[in-house]
mmCIF file with all atom_site columns, all heavy atoms in Angstrom:
data_model
loop_
_atom_site.group_PDB
_atom_site.id
_atom_site.type_symbol
_atom_site.label_atom_id
_atom_site.label_alt_id
_atom_site.label_comp_id
_atom_site.label_asym_id
_atom_site.label_entity_id
_atom_site.label_seq_id
_atom_site.pdbx_PDB_ins_code
_atom_site.Cartn_x
_atom_site.Cartn_y
_atom_site.Cartn_z
_atom_site.occupancy
_atom_site.B_iso_or_equiv
_atom_site.pdbx_formal_charge
_atom_site.auth_seq_id
_atom_site.auth_comp_id
_atom_site.auth_asym_id
_atom_site.auth_atom_id
_atom_site.pdbx_PDB_model_num
ATOM 1  N N   . SER A 1 230 ? -98.329  -86.177  182.285 1.00 95.00 ? 230 SER A N   1
ATOM 2  C CA  . SER A 1 230 ? -98.603  -87.604  182.091 1.00 95.00 ? 230 SER A CA  1
ATOM 3  C C   . SER A 1 230 ? -98.019  -88.171  180.803 1.00 95.00 ? 230 SER A C   1
ATOM 4  O O   . SER A 1 230 ? -98.083  -89.381  180.569 1.00 95.00 ? 230 SER A O   1
ATOM 5  C CB  . SER A 1 230 ? -100.119 -87.843  182.105 1.00 95.00 ? 230 SER A CB  1
ATOM 6  O OG  . SER A 1 230 ? -100.740 -87.219  180.985 1.00 95.00 ? 230 SER A OG  1
ATOM 7  N N   . ILE A 1 231 ? -97.445  -87.327  179.962 1.00 94.00 ? 231 ILE A N   1
ATOM 8  C CA  . ILE A 1 231 ? -96.867  -87.795  178.694 1.00 94.00 ? 231 ILE A CA  1
ATOM 9  C C   . ILE A 1 231 ? -95.608  -88.607  178.972 1.00 94.00 ? 231 ILE A C   1
ATOM 10 O O   . ILE A 1 231 ? -94.743  -88.180  179.737 1.00 94.00 ? 231 ILE A O   1
ATOM 11 C CB  . ILE A 1 231 ? -96.559  -86.592  177.785 1.00 94.00 ? 231 ILE A CB  1
ATOM 12 C CG1 . ILE A 1 231 ? -97.870  -85.900  177.382 1.00 94.00 ? 231 ILE A CG1 1
ATOM 13 C CG2 . ILE A 1 231 ? -95.770  -87.010  176.552 1.00 94.00 ? 231 ILE A CG2 1
ATOM 14 C CD1 . ILE A 1 231 ? -97.686  -84.592  176.662 1.00 94.00 ? 231 ILE A CD1 1
ATOM 15 N N   . PRO A 1 232 ? -95.471  -89.788  178.384 1.00 92.00 ? 232 PRO A N   1
ATOM 16 C CA  . PRO A 1 232 ? -94.292  -90.623  178.644 1.00 92.00 ? 232 PRO A CA  1
ATOM 17 C C   . PRO A 1 232 ? -93.005  -89.959  178.148 1.00 92.00 ? 232 PRO A C   1
ATOM 18 O O   . PRO A 1 232 ? -93.015  -89.216  177.167 1.00 92.00 ? 232 PRO A O   1
ATOM 19 C CB  . PRO A 1 232 ? -94.591  -91.913  177.873 1.00 92.00 ? 232 PRO A CB  1
ATOM 20 C CG  . PRO A 1 232 ? -95.603  -91.524  176.839 1.00 92.00 ? 232 PRO A CG  1
ATOM 21 C CD  . PRO A 1 232 ? -96.411  -90.418  177.446 1.00 92.00 ? 232 PRO A CD  1
ATOM 22 N N   . THR A 1 233 ? -91.910  -90.236  178.842 1.00 91.00 ? 233 THR A N   1
ATOM 23 C CA  . THR A 1 233 ? -90.604  -89.643  178.516 1.00 91.00 ? 233 THR A CA  1
ATOM 24 C C   . THR A 1 233 ? -89.559  -90.727  178.326 1.00 91.00 ? 233 THR A C   1
ATOM 25 O O   . THR A 1 233 ? -89.766  -91.892  178.691 1.00 91.00 ? 233 THR A O   1
ATOM 26 C CB  . THR A 1 233 ? -90.158  -88.697  179.644 1.00 91.00 ? 233 THR A CB  1
ATOM 27 O OG1 . THR A 1 233 ? -90.056  -89.452  180.865 1.00 91.00 ? 233 THR A OG1 1
ATOM 28 C CG2 . THR A 1 233 ? -91.148  -87.568  179.842 1.00 91.00 ? 233 THR A CG2 1
ATOM 29 N N   . TYR A 1 234 ? -88.438  -90.323  177.740 1.00 84.00 ? 234 TYR A N   1
ATOM 30 C CA  . TYR A 1 234 ? -87.331  -91.260  177.562 1.00 84.00 ? 234 TYR A CA  1
ATOM 31 C C   . TYR A 1 234 ? -86.623  -91.483  178.891 1.00 84.00 ? 234 TYR A C   1
ATOM 32 O O   . TYR A 1 234 ? -86.180  -90.533  179.541 1.00 84.00 ? 234 TYR A O   1
ATOM 33 C CB  . TYR A 1 234 ? -86.338  -90.724  176.537 1.00 84.00 ? 234 TYR A CB  1
ATOM 34 C CG  . TYR A 1 234 ? -85.050  -91.534  176.494 1.00 84.00 ? 234 TYR A CG  1
ATOM 35 C CD1 . TYR A 1 234 ? -85.047  -92.834  175.997 1.00 84.00 ? 234 TYR A CD1 1
ATOM 36 C CD2 . TYR A 1 234 ? -83.861  -91.002  176.974 1.00 84.00 ? 234 TYR A CD2 1
ATOM 37 C CE1 . TYR A 1 234 ? -83.879  -93.584  175.971 1.00 84.00 ? 234 TYR A CE1 1
ATOM 38 C CE2 . TYR A 1 234 ? -82.691  -91.747  176.948 1.00 84.00 ? 234 TYR A CE2 1
ATOM 39 C CZ  . TYR A 1 234 ? -82.711  -93.034  176.446 1.00 84.00 ? 234 TYR A CZ  1
ATOM 40 O OH  . TYR A 1 234 ? -81.563  -93.782  176.441 1.00 84.00 ? 234 TYR A OH  1
ATOM 41 N N   . LYS A 1 235 ? -86.523  -92.741  179.282 1.00 80.00 ? 235 LYS A N   1
ATOM 42 C CA  . LYS A 1 235 ? -85.832  -93.103  180.514 1.00 80.00 ? 235 LYS A CA  1
ATOM 43 C C   . LYS A 1 235 ? -84.742  -94.119  180.191 1.00 80.00 ? 235 LYS A C   1
ATOM 44 O O   . LYS A 1 235 ? -85.036  -95.218  179.714 1.00 80.00 ? 235 LYS A O   1
ATOM 45 C CB  . LYS A 1 235 ? -86.810  -93.709  181.525 1.00 80.00 ? 235 LYS A CB  1
ATOM 46 C CG  . LYS A 1 235 ? -87.928  -92.759  181.935 1.00 80.00 ? 235 LYS A CG  1
ATOM 47 C CD  . LYS A 1 235 ? -88.905  -93.428  182.883 1.00 80.00 ? 235 LYS A CD  1
ATOM 48 C CE  . LYS A 1 235 ? -90.023  -92.476  183.271 1.00 80.00 ? 235 LYS A CE  1
ATOM 49 N NZ  . LYS A 1 235 ? -91.025  -93.127  184.176 1.00 80.00 ? 235 LYS A NZ  1
ATOM 50 N N   . PRO A 1 236 ? -83.485  -93.773  180.387 1.00 71.00 ? 236 PRO A N   1
ATOM 51 C CA  . PRO A 1 236 ? -82.395  -94.708  180.082 1.00 71.00 ? 236 PRO A CA  1
ATOM 52 C C   . PRO A 1 236 ? -82.418  -95.897  181.026 1.00 71.00 ? 236 PRO A C   1
ATOM 53 O O   . PRO A 1 236 ? -82.889  -95.797  182.168 1.00 71.00 ? 236 PRO A O   1
ATOM 54 C CB  . PRO A 1 236 ? -81.135  -93.854  180.285 1.00 71.00 ? 236 PRO A CB  1
ATOM 55 C CG  . PRO A 1 236 ? -81.551  -92.823  181.272 1.00 71.00 ? 236 PRO A CG  1
ATOM 56 C CD  . PRO A 1 236 ? -83.000  -92.517  180.972 1.00 71.00 ? 236 PRO A CD  1
ATOM 57 N N   . SER A 1 237 ? -81.901  -97.013  180.530 1.00 71.00 ? 237 SER A N   1
ATOM 58 C CA  . SER A 1 237 ? -81.815  -98.203  181.379 1.00 71.00 ? 237 SER A CA  1
ATOM 59 C C   . SER A 1 237 ? -80.794  -97.975  182.489 1.00 71.00 ? 237 SER A C   1
ATOM 60 O O   . SER A 1 237 ? -79.969  -97.050  182.428 1.00 71.00 ? 237 SER A O   1
ATOM 61 C CB  . SER A 1 237 ? -81.409  -99.412  180.541 1.00 71.00 ? 237 SER A CB  1
ATOM 62 O OG  . SER A 1 237 ? -80.089  -99.242  180.032 1.00 71.00 ? 237 SER A OG  1
ATOM 63 N N   . GLU A 1 238 ? -80.847  -98.822  183.492 1.00 77.00 ? 238 GLU A N   1
ATOM 64 C CA  . GLU A 1 238 ? -79.921  -98.688  184.616 1.00 77.00 ? 238 GLU A CA  1
ATOM 65 C C   . GLU A 1 238 ? -78.475  -98.833  184.162 1.00 77.00 ? 238 GLU A C   1
ATOM 66 O O   . GLU A 1 238 ? -77.589  -98.131  184.660 1.00 77.00 ? 238 GLU A O   1
ATOM 67 C CB  . GLU A 1 238 ? -80.252  -99.731  185.682 1.00 77.00 ? 238 GLU A CB  1
ATOM 68 C CG  . GLU A 1 238 ? -79.408  -99.609  186.945 1.00 77.00 ? 238 GLU A CG  1
ATOM 69 C CD  . GLU A 1 238 ? -79.807  -100.613 188.002 1.00 77.00 ? 238 GLU A CD  1
ATOM 70 O OE1 . GLU A 1 238 ? -80.834  -101.300 187.821 1.00 77.00 ? 238 GLU A OE1 1
ATOM 71 O OE2 . GLU A 1 238 ? -79.086  -100.727 189.021 1.00 77.00 ? 238 GLU A OE2 1
ATOM 72 N N   . ARG A 1 239 ? -78.232  -99.717  183.201 1.00 78.00 ? 239 ARG A N   1
ATOM 73 C CA  . ARG A 1 239 ? -76.858  -99.909  182.710 1.00 78.00 ? 239 ARG A CA  1
ATOM 74 C C   . ARG A 1 239 ? -76.352  -98.658  182.003 1.00 78.00 ? 239 ARG A C   1
ATOM 75 O O   . ARG A 1 239 ? -75.192  -98.261  182.173 1.00 78.00 ? 239 ARG A O   1
ATOM 76 C CB  . ARG A 1 239 ? -76.801  -101.118 181.777 1.00 78.00 ? 239 ARG A CB  1
ATOM 77 C CG  . ARG A 1 239 ? -75.413  -101.352 181.179 1.00 78.00 ? 239 ARG A CG  1
ATOM 78 C CD  . ARG A 1 239 ? -75.280  -102.696 180.528 1.00 78.00 ? 239 ARG A CD  1
ATOM 79 N NE  . ARG A 1 239 ? -73.977  -102.862 179.909 1.00 78.00 ? 239 ARG A NE  1
ATOM 80 C CZ  . ARG A 1 239 ? -72.856  -103.123 180.569 1.00 78.00 ? 239 ARG A CZ  1
ATOM 81 N NH1 . ARG A 1 239 ? -72.880  -103.233 181.888 1.00 78.00 ? 239 ARG A NH1 1
ATOM 82 N NH2 . ARG A 1 239 ? -71.713  -103.271 179.934 1.00 78.00 ? 239 ARG A NH2 1
#
Side-chain angles (χ1 to χ4, degrees):
S230 66
I231 294 171
T233 60
Y234 170 69
K235 299 177 181 178
S237 65
E238 184 177 352
R239 178 167 177 77

